[in-house]
Amino acid sequence: DSGVTQTPKHLITATGQRVTLRCSPRSGDLSVYWYQQSLDQGLQFLIQYYNGEERAKGNILERFSAQQFPDLHSELNLSSLELGDSALYFCASSVEWRTEAFFGQGTRLTVV
Amino acid sequence: EDQVTQSPEALRLQEGESSSLNCSYTVSGLRGLFWYRQDPGKGPEFLFTLYSAGEEKEKERLKATLTKKESFLHITAPKPEDSATYLCAVSAGNTPLVFGKGTRLSVIA
């Protein structure tokens, strides 16, 4: 158990809908990352927050947004969902923004 | 752009047959190189961090080494439970972890 908690574990939704994925980092970790993993794409970095502020942005679509709250948990919002958004979404956390990151078990999103 | 390339894409070993996985990288200002293990449908599990050329880390049957251009993950006398995808990632400059596509390892009893 990495100490990073993601909910829900599975999510099935229709195209055009909006969903919210939630992440609670390890106790003491200030940095939260979101990654997307599709079958043949590997882990793609989406966005990083550090102590409530956006630190880095990767290949995140405009339909996606995230935030980190004062209690350091984070949410990833995915809207106007398309079939191609079906993937595993991972949250990871680290003490600082350049150290090893610990991953949650992911949310498997299926868009139908 | 930072690049991380892992080889081979897939590797099949007999139990007890030692081998090495490769991770080559082209980044400016390497801050750290990280190895993870990922089981199907699960989150990556952290294994090692290497910070400078010449550094080595060991854990059970795994040993990670680092040069200025690449890292190796050596697996000694693997067992079936070592079967997984092994991911390499680098942190450089102000960017977060950039991952390679991984090596799928199968160890056959």
Side-chain angles (χ1 to χ4, degrees):
Chain A
D1 182 2
S2 67
V4 179
T5 304
Q6 288 188 248
T7 57
K9 287 188 171 54
H10 302 278
L11 201 48
I12 301 175
T13 191
T15 54
Q17 295 297 306
R18 172 189 167 97
V19 296
T20 297
L21 313 184
R22 184 187 168 99
C23 170
S24 294
R26 293 188 319 159
S27 177
D29 284 358
L30 299 178
S31 196
V32 170
Y33 312 77
W34 287 97
Y35 284 83
Q36 179 192 57
Q37 188 175 44
S38 303
L39 267 177
D40 297 320
Q41 293 295 317
L43 276 163
Q44 299 293 316
F45 169 68
L46 295 178
I47 197 164
Q48 178 199 4
Y49 283 84
Y50 180 78
N51 203 19
E53 296 197 0
E54 183 182 305
R55 170 71 83 167
K57 218 168 193 176
N59 299 320
I60 188 166
L61 300 171
E62 284 191 12
R63 300 183 284 109
F64 297 180
S65 64
Q67 58 185 127
Q68 186 179 28
F69 294 87
D71 67 352
L72 301 178
H73 91 272
S74 178
E75 293 181 356
L76 179 66
N77 300 296
L78 315 176
S79 61
S80 303
L81 285 166
E82 302 174 358
L83 295 178
D85 297 327
S86 296
L88 270 167
Y89 290 84
F90 289 106
C91 169
S93 73
S94 62
V95 172
E96 297 180 2
W97 57 279
R98 290 173 297 188
T99 57
E100 58 269 7
F102 294 85
F103 283 76
Q105 289 303 298
T107 293
R108 181 176 293 280
L109 174 67
T110 303
V111 183
V112 297
Chain B
E1 183 179 320
D2 298 339
Q3 294 278 356
V4 180
T5 303
Q6 292 188 245
S7 62
E9 287 186 17
L11 182 62
R12 188 180 171 99
L13 298 174
Q14 292 293 319
E15 185 173 3
E17 180 187 0
S18 302
S19 188
S20 295
L21 313 182
N22 177 264
C23 171
S24 63
Y25 59 92
T26 53
V27 297
S28 299
L30 180 74
R31 300 238 181 233
L33 184 140
F34 308 86
W35 282 98
Y36 288 83
R37 169 194 169 125
Q38 186 176 25
D39 293 303
K42 305 288 188 184
E45 174 190 347
F46 170 72
L47 294 174
F48 303 110
T49 306
L50 301 166
Y51 290 106
S52 56
E55 191 174 357
E56 299 182 352
K57 294 271 179 75
E58 281 190 70
K59 179 180 178 179
E60 296 180 357
R61 296 177 292 283
L62 300 177
K63 178 179 176 181
T65 61
L66 180 65
T67 72
K68 288 186 178 179
K69 295 290 186 186
E70 58 192 349
S71 177
F72 292 93
L73 184 65
H74 307 277
I75 303 177
T76 302
K79 298 182 177 183
E81 54 261 42
D82 294 322
S83 298
T85 295
Y86 290 85
L87 299 167
C88 166
V90 297
S91 173
N94 292 324
T95 60
L97 301 187
V98 175
F99 281 83
K101 292 195 172 183
T103 293
R104 288 190 314 277
L105 175 66
S106 299
V107 182
I108 311 302

